């Protein structure tokens, strides 16, 4: 089995028309993707925070796990 762990970002504004959920980084396990997303969401420095290309609001980060299907031979 080969699983994949990533962090994605989307606009944090509810009324924004930007619907892309962009892959930001691939991590080694669920814990690291969860930690990275928590860290990015807790940044308060407005200069280094990613902004939505549509409305300019903060981006929201969340962990994603893709579990591979087992291959039986």
């Amino acid at each position: 089995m080969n699983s994949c762990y990533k962090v994605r970002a989307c606009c944090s504004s509810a009324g924004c028309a930007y619907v892309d959920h962009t892959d930001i980084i691939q991590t080694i396990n669920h814990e690291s993707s969860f930690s990275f997303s928590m860290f990015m969401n807790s940044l308060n420095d407005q200069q280094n925070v990613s902004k939505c290309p549509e409305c300019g609001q903060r981006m929201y980060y969340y962990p994603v796990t893709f579990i591979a299907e087992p291959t039986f031979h």
Side-chain angles (χ1 to χ4, degrees), residues 6-59:
K6 296 182 178 183
V7 174
R8 286 189 175 166
C10 64
C11 183
S12 62
S13 176
C16 183
Y18 185 71
V19 295
D20 290 339
H21 291 246
T22 310
D23 289 346
I24 300 299
I25 189 172
Q26 184 169 342
T27 60
I28 58 172
N29 57 20
H30 176 71
E31 291 82 7
S32 59
S33 63
F34 184 77
S35 298
F36 183 81
S37 60
M38 295 248 327
F39 168 73
M40 292 300 288
N41 287 330
S42 68
L43 287 178
N44 289 326
D45 183 9
Q46 295 300 319
Q47 297 294 333
N48 295 326
V49 173
S50 297
K51 306 277 184 184
C52 174
E54 199 69 31
C55 69
Q57 293 293 320
R58 277 184 76 124
M59 296 295 278

